[in-house]
Structure formats: C-alpha cells, structure tokens
Amino acid sequence: NRGWEVVEARDGMDALDVMGRQEHLDLVIVDLDMPRMDGLEFVWRLRDQMVWSTLPVIVVTGEKDEMLEAQLLEEGADDYVRKPVEGRVLLARVESTLRRTSVGV
C-alpha cells in the first residue's frame, strides 16, 4: 500500500540473476542466512559491481552478535534488522534508508 513494487528471489544467487533483469531497483533487503550464498557474500558481490555499488542494502539477521552487525555495516550494508522482524520496524528502516540514500519514498 506504499506504492512500492517488490521483486523476490529464492537466495543470493537467484537474487543476482533477478537483479540483472531489472531496469531499476531502489533498495535490496537480504537475509544473512541463505543457501548457496549468504547475505554477507551477496553484499560483497553487489559492492564489487559498479551498477549496484551504491544500491542501498538492508540485511535481516537472526544473529545477536554485535561484532557481526558491525561487520555487516563495515562491509557495505546500509542497515540491518534483527529477526523476528516486526513489520512496522522494517518499514521504518526501509523509509529511513531510502531517505538517507536520496532515493526518496
């Protein structure tokens, strides 16, 4: 109901494939724990590709390790959300990330 179009993928490898077929993306939400390619490797691969290097990324994680959270941000994630994800919190993080990255909401 916010007017956003959502594109889904099964895992990190599938996401890279799906993203390659998209004309425009404003933000990516990725789970840290995925098969075939975890969320951190996904962020690395995005940041290595010029076309996606500045695309905002929010990582969803069930981990409670503060060092891991710091690493996610240091390695290129723009924000993270802990599981279980509360819908209102996720929406607030998405809107905040979009504002910070000048994409708009």
Side-chain angles (χ1 to χ4, degrees):
N1 65 357
R2 307 255 175 158
W4 299 327
E5 180 181 343
V6 176
V7 179
E8 296 182 52
R10 291 183 303 270
D11 56 43
M13 295 294 288
D14 187 41
L16 291 175
D17 186 47
V18 168
M19 290 173 65
R21 296 189 306 262
Q22 299 301 309
E23 286 186 32
H24 178 77
L25 294 171
D26 293 324
L27 176 103
V28 173
I29 300 173
V30 61
D31 197 317
L32 182 64
D33 185 26
M34 296 185 294
R36 300 198 302 161
M37 178 191 308
D38 69 22
L40 188 55
E41 183 178 348
F42 178 82
V43 170
W44 291 337
R45 291 208 186 178
L46 280 187
R47 296 306 180 227
D48 282 344
Q49 297 180 34
M50 184 59 89
V51 68
W52 303 120
S53 63
T54 61
L55 182 67
V57 178
I58 298 175
V59 178
V60 177
T61 178
E63 301 290 328
K64 297 194 179 356
D65 180 352
E66 290 180 10
M67 294 306 293
L68 175 61
E69 293 167 358
Q71 181 184 10
L72 290 170
L73 296 171
E74 291 167 355
E75 298 288 344
D78 294 280
D79 204 350
Y80 63 89
V81 178
R82 287 190 185 154
K83 294 178 187 178
V85 177
E86 186 348 272
R88 186 173 173 191
V89 171
L90 180 60
L91 286 174
R93 298 280 187 147
V94 166
E95 290 174 343
S96 173
T97 300
L98 290 172
R99 271 193 312 273
R100 275 195 324 271
T101 58
S102 302
V103 173
V105 281

